[in-house]
Every structure is written in C-alpha cells, then in structure tokens.
Amino acid sequence: MENFVRNTKLNIEEEIKRIEQQPIETLDKIKKIIDVIQVSLALLKTAVIGYQFQNPEEEILFFKVWKPQISGLLMFYVRLYQIEKNRADKSLSVQCRYLKMELENIQKSFLNNSFYDYYRAGQTVLDNQYFIRANYDILSDIHYHLLDRDSSFTTLHDSSVAMILANQHLIEYISGEIDSLSEKLQLKFISIVDSKLLQWTDSKVALVEFIYALYAGKCFNNGNTSLKDIAFCCEALFNIEIGDFYRIFLEIRNRKKSRTQFLDKLKDKIQKMMDELDG
C-alpha cells in the first residue's frame, strides 16, 4: 500500500507540473488539478477497500499520514480556487487586504484546537481511536460534511490531518502572494512619487487644512496615527515640502471668516459635480 500511495503522489505531482505549464487561465488550471486529485483519490479508495492492512499500525499510518497527503492536497486546491476567484480582477490593494484577512482566518483555525495540539505535539496515545476505521463515530466527526465519509475510507480524524496540511499549504501560498503584492504596491508608490504623478498644485495652507481634517476625523487606523506621519506621507505622495505645518495651522485657526475655506471649496465642487452628473 505504501508503494501505491507513493506512486499516486508522484503521478499527481507530475500532472500538476504538466498542467501548470499549460497556457490557460489560473482558475482553469486549478480546476484541472482538482479533477486529477479527485480521480487519484477515488483510485486510492478502491485500492483500500480491496486491501487488508497487515496490522493496526499500518492502518493508522495510512489514515494519519498517507491519505491526508492526498486529500489535504485536494482541500488546498479547492480552497485555492475559491481564493483566486474572489481576488480576480481586483486592485492590488484590495487583493492584499483580502489575502491578509484570509491568512488571519486560517491562522485562527489553529487556536483552541485540541486535535491540532495533539497532532503538532506528535502524540500517539489516541491514534487507535482517531485513525482506525472500526472506531469511527460520525457523531464525533466535525468533518462529516467533507469529502467522502464512507466508513470504509474514513476515520475520525484523517480529514483533520488533511485540513491541517491544506491550511499549512495555504499559509505558505498566501504569505508569498501578500509579499509579492506588497512589493508591487511599494514599487507602484515609488513610481508615482518619483515621476511626480501627483503634484500638489493648491496652496500649502490648503494641504495643511486637509491634513488636519484627516487627523481630526481619525481617518487612518481609527485615529491611531500621528499628525507628523500623515503630513510626511502627504509630502512624499504629493511632492511638496510643507514646512512648519503647526504654524500654518495656527494661521488657519486665526481666520476671521470660515476656518475651513479649502474643505468648504471641496464640498461646493463635489456637490456641483454631482449635480451636473444628475442633470
């Protein structure tokens, strides 16, 4: 059985490499890979049903190690398809936020998980209960809805191991994608700054009024951002040196008429634009 599983894994890996080289869309590649793994898992199930394990240790090894390596791969690609579908055609920043949220959710799945603690610690005392088919109890199975829960091919926690392996693959993949997107976003920002694509052409006083409005409105990090950091980012992004923005703000506060002249102007302009679009 060990050789059969090893050959099955090798075949899957070869098919994945072949599919990855095809000039087709990412989602189509993932669907083809999922089909390959499903077929392989069905063949593995047929082989197991017709096989007599030599002893409980071999059965435990199959359901704790061998099967999860393949079923976990299926779980990984199914989840990967969902992730790639959800991030398709989104901006770099939206993709980055989405992937960070997914990564956080996956990492949370390991918290307060007694089986994960058992598996990670390399414990074996409950293996007979967890990985012998005769001891399978669907009422204790939190993964009863996943994959094929045929009692001839299911133990209490083989799917738990598969889920752990799938999540580990996802963490590695998503972390890599976040790093790649972050680098692209940083390069894009640097390109905007270096090319002076956003050159502030209104007055410094107007910009200071805008910066203080952002600060007062707690628009960044729920207000946990310093005024200096906001000013620095605006200076870098808009290619302008503000100077003593505290002194400028004091001048704004001392205005005799409206103290928010720039914001009032912006309000009038956007209302006029919306009125024109409505008309």
Side-chain angles (χ1 to χ4, degrees), residues 128-181:
N128 277 291
Q129 177 184 341
Y130 289 165
F131 302 107
I132 295 292
R133 288 169 296 178
N135 295 328
Y136 174 71
D137 176 15
I138 193 171
L139 298 178
S140 302
D141 186 1
I142 62 172
H143 298 295
Y144 70 90
H145 61 288
L146 296 174
L147 303 177
D148 185 352
R149 308 311 287 168
D150 187 330
S151 60
S152 64
F153 196 54
T154 298
T155 64
L156 185 58
H157 276 299
D158 65 87
S159 287
S160 297
V161 177
M163 185 67 75
I164 290 171
L165 297 179
N167 283 343
Q168 288 173 342
H169 286 310
L170 284 169
I171 288 173
E172 182 178 349
Y173 175 83
I174 294 174
S175 297
E177 288 297 295
I178 290 173
D179 289 342
S180 177
L181 288 170

Side-chain angles (χ1 to χ4, degrees), residues 162-216:
M163 185 67 75
I164 290 171
L165 297 179
N167 283 343
Q168 288 173 342
H169 286 310
L170 284 169
I171 288 173
E172 182 178 349
Y173 175 83
I174 294 174
S175 297
E177 288 297 295
I178 290 173
D179 289 342
S180 177
L181 288 170
S182 297
E183 183 177 352
K184 289 177 181 177
L185 284 168
Q186 184 177 11
L187 291 173
K188 185 176 181 180
F189 177 80
I190 292 172
S191 175
I192 290 173
V193 172
D194 289 347
S195 63
K196 298 183 179 180
L197 186 63
L198 294 176
Q199 184 70 50
W200 185 266
T201 53
D202 211 311
S203 68
K204 291 183 180 181
V205 176
L207 181 56
V208 170
E209 185 181 325
F210 177 63
I211 290 170
Y212 269 89
L214 294 174
Y215 177 71

Side-chain angles (χ1 to χ4, degrees), residues 35-98:
D35 289 341
V36 167
I37 301 173
Q38 283 183 307
V39 170
S40 298
L41 201 57
L43 292 174
L44 184 63
K45 176 183 176 181
T46 300
V48 168
I49 292 175
Y51 179 77
Q52 181 65 46
F53 287 108
Q54 298 178 9
N55 48 54
E57 288 73 24
E58 186 185 19
E59 184 172 357
I60 290 171
L61 185 62
F62 177 83
F63 286 104
K64 187 176 184 179
V65 179
W66 297 341
K67 179 191 172 186
Q69 290 176 354
I70 298 175
S71 55
L73 203 57
L74 178 58
M75 290 182 183
F76 165 70
Y77 277 104
V78 168
R79 188 71 189 97
L80 181 61
Y81 181 87
Q82 296 167 343
I83 289 173
E84 290 299 320
K85 185 177 181 180
N86 288 337
R87 66 184 279 211
D89 301 323
K90 300 295 191 304
S91 68
L92 295 179
S93 57
V94 170
Q95 288 186 54
C96 200
R97 288 196 300 271
Y98 168 69

